[in-house]
Amino acid sequence: MESSSKGLLTQVTQFWNLLDDLAESNPESYKKFIEQQLKEGKQLCATPEPQLCLQTRILKPKEKVLFINLCQWKRIPAPQSATHPVPLKVGTPEDISETSDVYTVI
């Protein structure tokens, strides 16, 4: 574990040195690189975008309504092709109580 931490620290130090060199030797390229990194980082930090909601029922152990919210999220890559499975990330089911109605949302 300690050797991998040292290796990682070495890589990070080398990366920072490369960025320092680029900033000094080619400020315009450095600026473009940083702007691109910030743009990509902003996209990855964006929240999921709602697409549609499905309503179905949970039958056991107690019958109740289930809403499944489907979202698009930049952090989950598109499928590689039509024959590959669609990558998914599933949230934790959350029980909601409103007046006398109880339902679950995912």
Side-chain angles (χ1 to χ4, degrees), residues 42-97:
K42 185 177 181 180
Q43 289 175 346
L44 288 176
C45 291
T47 58
E49 300 170 19
Q51 298 296 313
L52 65 109
C53 180
L54 303 174
Q55 179 180 344
T56 187
R57 298 191 88 57
I58 297 173
L59 301 176
K60 293 183 181 180
K62 181 180 177 186
E63 187 172 335
K64 61 183 168 180
V65 174
L66 170 65
F67 292 100
I68 303 171
N69 294 312
L70 299 176
C71 300
Q72 179 180 1
W73 198 15
K74 302 279 186 199
R75 295 181 80 171
I76 298 177
Q80 295 174 1
S81 72
T83 59
H84 282 81
V86 176
L88 298 174
K89 176 153 178 66
V90 179
T92 307
E94 183 178 339
D95 291 327
I96 308 291
S97 297

